[in-house]
Amino acid sequence: MSTEPIESMTLRLQVNGEAVERPVAVRRHLADFLREDLGLTGTHVGCEHGVCGACTVRLDGRVVRGCLVLAVQADGASVQTIEGAADARMAALQAAFHRHNAAQCGFCTPAMLLTAADLLDRPDRPSREEIREHLSGNLCRCTGYQAIVDAVEATCRALQG
Amino acid sequence: MNSPRDLPQAQTADACIGQPLPRRGLERLLQGRGCYVDDLQPPRLAHAVMVRSPYAHARIVSIDVEPARRAPGVLAVATGRDMAGWCKPWVGTLATAPGMRSPPQHALAIDRVCWQGEPVAVVVAGTRAQAEDAAERVEVTWEPLPVVADELAALAPDARPVHPGDADNVCYRREVASGDVEQGFAAAAAVVSATLRTGRHTHVTLEPRAILADFNPADRQLTVWHASQVPHMMQWLLADQFGLPESQVRVIVPDVGGSFGLKIHVFGDEMAAVAMALQLGRPVKFVADRLESFQSDVHARGHRIEARMAVSAEGEILAFELDDVQTFGPYGCYPRAGTGEGNQVLNLAGAPYRNRHYRGRLRVAFQHKGMVGPYRAVGHPVACLATEVMLEQAARAVGVDPAQARRRNLVADDAYPWTLATGPVVEGLSQQASLDRLLQMMDYDGLRAAQARERARGVHRGIGLAHFVEMTSPSGRVYGAGGAPIASQDACMLRLTASGMVHCAVGITEFGQGAAMMVAQVAASGLGVPVERVRVLLGDTDVTPYGGGNWGSRGTGIGGEAVWLAARALRENLLAFAARVLGRPADALDLRGGEVVEREGGERHLSLEALARRAYFRPDLTPADITPELMVTRSFSQRAYGSVFSNGVHASHVEVDLDTGWVRLLRHWVVEDCGTVVNPLLVDEQIRGGVVQGLGAALYEEVLYGDEGQLLNGSLAEYLVPMAGEMPDIEVAHLHTPTRTSTLGAKGAGEAGVAGASAAVLNAVNDALAPFGAFLTEIPITPQRVLQALGKVPR
Ligand code: FES
Ligand code: FES
């Protein structure tokens, strides 16, 4: 049982291009900070132990697990969530997900999209196996993954020729 | 029977039943704009956290909540004793499971806990972190008691009863028998037998269970946002448990992050959160974390089956016998009881085949473990595994190819209606056609030839098949007749809006399977309007008609039919009114593309908007003897059969590494017949999603307990679920044998993917290992179990 007062500090960062300044408990993880303090509920929490990937966000451009990063670790950084990921590539990916019915309950989906978007930046076109491998940190309990792989593959083909 | 019957009449110009239309509403989820229970943060929201038992069985000597009450931010703390004054206990038995017993269960345990993780106190605070901190300060003095963990030990004559005062631990037992089993065994060319085990599995919805209750003392209104498949059932139950008038309880189901049969029960922790909202008169939220999910979500599939099958020299089944012990928790889950799993195993064992000589015995054993309840395809995968593993083993014993053995045993496609040896009557299946289609789709002969070549090179691949019979769209004979408040009816309320749109409210629910899109397509087709015109509303007991929600693959078969009936009725009303407005006979008119047109030739007369304006705004221009009803409600329940059955067959192709015991999934095929397919895009991925759950069950998933009833794997790092990397491509094909129980002809498809997947994989692994005399009888098929079967490591 810990009796020390809970420490907090003032956090300054960019979230989806907006400057944010907030006090935050040092023990709060980034996903909770985004969801509960900023109301950005597109980032989901499925396990809080780093396995399901539902909490995936971009931190300074790299995908990370929001439940494994403390909010204070993002001080000075730039964070992008699904709500702020609105470039043409993401739009193409989202459209492909829609076309292929690559989401059911949608709980895994924002994270799946952010993870998949990484593949669109590759110079070469990934194989189905590589796509499956790349998405292997994101649990989806509803789909059979196949529509997701199809959607990512189709987007890569469209964007990377 | 694989030729489609004539589809409903409106299969004309703009009909969209059968079209692979992208699901509406998905954009919202894709953009992170969904709204799940945990996303809601109403003003004055408080958070509930549970204090749970660290023991599987213990007496609560004392609970001191004072230190927790004094902790920062705490609003209230309650124990089981407090709770008992607010929420009455429930009893999870069904009259349709005669002889079943289960003691009353309280939201929070009072004197004694019966599984590790059972909640004993609830702490409510301003933030979840505060509630969690305070929960650690609740001091419970425990007196650990002896634990009954193993299911066979639980059934032993000298076993200590899980519930004091009971004579034994048999919660429920049932026997079925038909034909002359002894004679079948006596006449056999070969008899095979095995002890089959299926792991305890659980749903692992990605969104854990979640509830947010708000009570307004001013108007005594309880509003509950619930991640639920069954809002009306929950409304009834909440009213009943808390002694409120049903009309004062509103259940709203926002987006739900996966259900699979988990979100249809009464859970003590959720009821405790609701009780606290009632006590505090403010919103209280409870969201299970992942460890709590593993401990307190219901589990399923833990079976140990002694199976025996007799076959002729040609591989014809002469007799089949099984003895199933179903693991259970200390209580029957409420209100569905949880014995459906074992009952389904008895009902569906051998279901695809003609054999009439069958004997089954089921015993459900109380244990000090987590509770057991329905999980997608209740009992189906277990029945399928027992049947299909025995059939392939028997075929092997008499040297008949497994596909050939099936051909010799399947019920003929023209033999329906067919009464299963276990009692249920099956309306119309296409097992033979399914097998033909599967073998052609997977190039069975080619694959067998390749298998032989690969074996010579030291590559060990296997092919496994599994037929299944799926129960969907249940009638009221199971739950209603059992005394549970579970609707087997559903309804649709359809109205034309003033601008010519269609507003459609239904009792079924959406949790990602695409129910709302199905509804829109059926309504649009039935009416003759573009699908974009239909707005669908579901998941709110204040605005949707009473119904059973979604479970047992009933959404399309029952809910969809209600929508179809409502759409046809509204269409008639619209045409009758248009006929008066236009001075034409109603049967000369038609509704297409949202326009009233001349039936012959299609000349356009009137838009729906014009018709609506006329009806709503200008009754002064309308003759006094007609007031058009532009809102209709239609209900439907399936009464012809106990269930509407669907069917299909799976095949799995695997490669086994003899040195590591690792099983690699190469391909998986499914042929499935759910009658009329409303949207193939949705059904296909629904099937695949089910297959992947079945593959997870086959290879990875198992809730493990220690001898003292301790949960050994309460995280996703230890309870393995399939990820994209290990999953194969899954090819799906459909046959269409529409059910005659409805106009639409649709049967459910929710269970089909899970039903046969595990059995196909186990058969494929056994096929790969057959040359070594190895025979696996247990899922999940872990590398260790493979090596044990090969005799490479000790058992
Ligand atoms: S919530 Fe972060 S990985 Fe599961
Ligand atoms: S769509 Fe439900 S978890 Fe992926």
Side-chain angles (χ1 to χ4, degrees):
Chain A
M1 192 201 325
S2 125
T3 47
E4 294 113 61
I6 295 156
E7 283 182 56
S8 60
M9 65 169 265
T10 298
L11 183 60
R12 289 181 194 81
L13 74 172
Q14 293 270 321
V15 179
N16 295 335
E18 254 174 61
V20 171
E21 185 176 330
R22 292 272 170 139
V24 67
V26 294
R27 67 178 183 178
R28 200 164 185 69
H29 62 57
L30 181 59
D32 275 355
F33 173 73
L34 294 167
R35 288 178 50 78
E36 279 160 36
D37 297 356
L38 304 186
L40 291 168
T41 54
T43 303
H44 297 151
V45 172
C47 69
E48 290 186 281
H49 50 245
V51 182
C52 76
C55 59
T56 299
V57 294
R58 285 198 189 123
L59 181 64
D60 285 334
R62 285 187 33 242
V63 294
V64 298
R65 287 168 193 265
C67 74
L68 294 185
V69 176
L70 292 171
V72 294
Q73 290 177 283
D75 194 35
S78 129
V79 172
Q80 193 186 45
T81 70
I82 190 68
E83 289 94 338
D87 62 6
R89 285 161 169 257
M90 180 55 88
L93 196 57
Q94 284 163 325
F97 265 56
H98 193 199
R99 244 187 351 266
H100 290 266
N101 192 43
Q104 288 185 26
C105 78
F107 204 78
C108 70
T109 310
M112 198 66 89
L113 285 162
L114 287 168
T115 306
D118 268 6
L119 284 170
L120 307 182
D121 297 330
R122 283 177 34 154
D124 56 329
R125 200 205 290 169
S127 67
R128 283 180 81 78
E129 290 65 42
E130 285 171 314
I131 294 171
R132 284 188 177 275
E133 203 48 50
H134 183 78
L135 297 177
S136 270
N138 290 71
L139 169 62
C140 176
R141 192 61 164 167
C142 303
T143 71
Y145 292 111
Q146 185 154 332
I148 297 175
V149 175
D150 292 346
V152 174
E153 192 182 34
T155 314
C156 288
R157 194 174 301 138
L159 294 179
Q160 295 160 344
Chain B
M1 294 266 299
N2 61 338
S3 60
R5 186 181 64 183
D6 286 343
L7 282 169
Q9 199 190 341
Q11 283 292 301
T12 51
D14 55 347
C16 57
I17 289 176
Q19 297 300 310
L21 302 179
R23 203 177 113 206
R24 190 188 324 159
L26 202 52
E27 300 94 332
R28 218 163 40 77
L29 304 181
L30 291 165
Q31 290 176 26
R33 305 283 170 161
C35 182
Y36 305 84
V37 170
D38 197 24
D39 299 343
L40 296 163
Q41 289 196 57
R44 298 181 71 240
L45 175 65
H47 298 260
V49 164
M50 304 298 140
V51 178
R52 294 180 184 273
S53 167
Y55 297 102
H57 191 203
R59 195 168 76 80
I60 303 169
V61 179
S62 65
I63 302 188
D64 184 2
V65 299
E66 284 316 313
R69 276 209 177 109
R70 290 194 300 270
V74 170
L75 297 161
V77 186
T79 64
R81 215 166 282 289
D82 302 324
M83 192 61 62
W86 306 325
C87 176
K88 63 177 188 178
W90 51 83
V91 176
T93 57
L94 279 181
T96 39
M100 182 193 179
R101 66 170 198 265
S102 175
Q105 185 186 1
H106 288 265
L108 301 176
I110 299 176
D111 295 316
R112 186 174 70 109
V113 290
C114 287
W115 82 87
Q116 190 202 29
E118 183 169 2
V120 299
V122 53
V123 179
V124 181
T127 70
R128 177 157 176 162
Q130 287 170 332
E132 282 183 8
D133 287 347
E136 284 182 20
R137 300 196 191 185
V138 172
E139 283 163 19
V140 187
T141 310
W142 304 97
E143 180 193 325
L145 298 170
V147 170
V148 177
D150 178 78
E151 67 272 14
L152 282 188
L155 291 176
D158 59 342
R160 179 187 288 268
V162 164
H163 299 292
D166 281 0
D168 58 32
N169 284 315
V170 183
C171 162
Y172 173 63
R173 65 181 296 148
R174 180 180 159 213
E175 285 177 27
V176 290
S178 67
D180 188 343
V181 176
E182 301 311 330
Q183 161 63 23
F185 280 106
V191 172
V192 291
S193 64
T195 302
L196 306 163
R197 286 170 186 272
T198 54
R200 233 186 205 246
H201 303 147
T202 185
H203 309 63
V204 196
T205 58
L206 194 51
E207 175 207 31
R209 288 187 293 107
I211 195 163
L212 193 170
D214 191 9
F215 183 64
N216 185 337
D219 57 8
R220 302 199 54 76
Q221 173 74 37
L222 174 69
T223 307
V224 174
W225 288 264
H226 194 196
S228 173
Q229 303 171 230
V230 287
H232 285 104
M233 184 197 92
M234 283 314 298
Q235 178 194 32
W236 191 99
L237 286 169
L238 287 164
D240 188 49
Q241 290 312 131
F242 293 104
L244 296 164
E246 198 186 1
S247 57
Q248 297 294 96
V249 179
R250 178 182 186 187
V251 177
I252 301 172
V253 174
D255 289 320
V256 177
S259 295
F260 320 122
L262 171 67
K263 296 170 179 176
I264 55 176
H265 312 294
V266 170
F267 289 93
D269 44 22
E270 297 180 15
M271 297 307 262
V274 176
M276 297 316 280
L278 284 156
Q279 289 305 307
L280 293 167
R282 64 191 283 173
V284 173
K285 179 154 74 180
F286 167 73
V287 180
D289 68 20
R290 191 51 64 185
L291 172 60
E292 291 180 294
S293 300
F294 278 112
Q295 288 178 327
S296 282
D297 287 2
V298 291
H299 301 159
R301 313 276 205 254
H303 293 258
R304 180 190 182 283
I305 297 180
E306 305 276 358
R308 227 157 56 104
M309 187 179 276
V311 286
S312 71
E314 290 74 40
E316 190 191 343
I317 305 171
L318 301 179
F320 186 30
E321 179 177 45
L322 48 85
D323 184 355
D324 179 14
V325 174
Q326 180 193 342
T327 75
F328 213 60
Y331 302 98
C333 75
Y334 186 60
R336 282 175 162 76
T339 47
E341 175 94 3
N343 270 328
Q344 290 287 59
V345 174
L346 287 204
N347 290 340
L348 294 174
Y353 304 113
R354 282 195 315 268
N355 169 53
R356 286 272 167 225
H357 309 289
Y358 170 71
R359 184 159 58 209
R361 174 163 80 140
L362 165 70
R363 283 168 298 163
V364 177
F366 282 128
Q367 293 164 282
H368 293 114
K369 285 185 177 174
M371 286 173 51
V372 158
Y375 173 27
R376 190 176 195 176
V378 177
H380 291 61
V382 183
C384 179
L385 186 113
T387 310
E388 296 294 299
V389 169
M390 292 320 289
L391 179 61
E392 293 217 352
Q393 189 67 0
R396 209 167 276 129
V398 290
V400 175
D401 175 86
Q404 195 56 39
R406 288 184 171 81
R407 214 185 280 293
R408 293 198 177 134
N409 283 293
L410 286 171
V411 176
D413 290 353
D414 61 5
Y416 297 94
W418 174 266
T419 305
L420 299 181
T422 51
V425 182
V426 177
E427 179 206 9
L429 304 182
S430 57
Q431 298 282 22
Q432 294 179 320
S434 297
L435 180 61
D436 291 343
R437 181 71 201 273
L438 178 86
L439 298 182
Q440 166 234 324
M441 176 166 132
M442 68 192 284
D443 181 18
Y444 184 77
D445 296 335
L447 221 49
R448 282 277 177 222
Q451 179 186 35
R453 287 196 300 277
E454 283 146 3
R455 250 179 206 157
R457 293 192 296 118
V459 175
H460 300 282
R461 294 189 167 176
I463 302 160
L465 268 53
H467 277 273
F468 68 89
V469 172
E470 176 191 1
M471 291 175 118
T472 81
S473 306
S475 74
R477 287 183 216 171
V478 176
Y479 293 127
I486 297 170
S488 50
Q489 156 276 0
D490 237 293
C492 168
M493 208 162 71
L494 208 52
R495 77 178 144 88
L496 187 70
T497 73
S499 56
M501 306 286 286
V502 178
H503 187 281
C504 180
V506 287
I508 60 168
T509 46
E510 173 77 82
F511 36 88
Q513 74 281 41
M517 190 65 198
M518 176 280 291
V519 165
Q521 287 179 245
V522 173
S525 286
L527 267 168
V529 303
V531 70
E532 300 75 34
R533 288 265 190 105
V534 185
R535 172 172 157 72
V536 177
L537 226 112
L538 24 71
D540 183 343
T541 56
D542 263 12
V543 293
T544 60
Y546 203 92
N550 271 48
W551 51 273
S553 291
R554 66 188 298 285
T556 308
I558 292 177
E561 178 70 5
V563 175
W564 175 262
L565 296 176
R568 298 310 281 177
L570 179 58
R571 184 174 182 281
E572 259 181 48
N573 291 0
L574 292 172
L575 289 178
F577 182 55
R580 286 302 290 273
V581 170
L582 296 167
R584 299 270 306 129
D587 59 9
L589 301 175
D590 199 3
L591 200 52
R592 287 176 208 158
E595 306 256 342
V596 177
V597 300
E598 192 66 20
R599 184 180 294 280
E600 303 294 332
E603 180 202 340
R604 290 159 64 175
H605 288 300
L606 200 58
S607 72
L608 271 186
E609 181 172 11
L611 197 63
R613 294 180 70 87
R614 177 71 176 252
Y616 288 134
F617 305 148
R618 299 307 309 270
D620 55 314
L621 297 180
T622 307
D625 66 330
I626 180 164
T627 305
E629 288 297 342
L630 303 188
M631 179 165 96
V632 301
T633 304
R634 285 294 180 275
S635 297
F636 181 72
S637 59
Q638 190 281 118
R639 276 167 290 188
Y641 297 89
S643 288
V644 171
F645 290 84
S646 68
N647 71 280
V649 57
H650 287 235
S652 205
H653 191 208
V654 307
E655 184 173 311
V656 185
D657 183 322
L658 300 187
D659 295 324
T660 63
W662 193 254
V663 175
R664 189 154 72 95
L665 300 168
L666 302 172
R667 279 289 279 284
H668 198 94
W669 300 265
V670 186
V671 177
E672 176 285 340
D673 185 342
C674 62
T676 305
V677 171
V678 174
N679 184 327
L681 192 61
L682 304 184
V683 173
D684 281 2
E685 199 60 6
Q686 183 69 211
I687 301 278
R688 291 196 180 99
V691 168
V692 165
Q693 282 181 356
L695 298 179
L699 295 178
Y700 315 114
E701 300 185 34
E702 183 167 25
V703 181
L704 298 166
Y705 284 92
D707 294 342
E708 289 304 302
Q710 308 296 108
L711 178 67
L712 300 178
N713 54 348
S715 82
L716 282 171
E718 295 150 323
Y719 181 97
L720 303 181
V721 284
M723 304 296 249
E726 301 97 28
M727 289 300 104
D729 277 345
I730 300 159
E731 209 171 309
V732 181
H734 302 280
L735 300 180
H736 304 280
T737 309
T739 171
R740 295 182 186 277
T741 59
S742 69
T743 336
L744 206 54
K747 309 173 183 181
E751 337 285 335
V754 201
S758 323
V761 174
L762 184 51
N763 278 343
V765 170
N766 280 332
D767 183 48
L769 299 185
F772 307 96
F775 176 44
L776 280 101
T777 52
E778 192 167 356
I779 61 166
I781 309 161
T782 59
Q784 187 185 8
R785 286 175 182 152
V786 171
L787 295 178
Q788 282 171 342
L790 285 166
K792 295 195 169 180
V793 301
R795 285 186 194 260

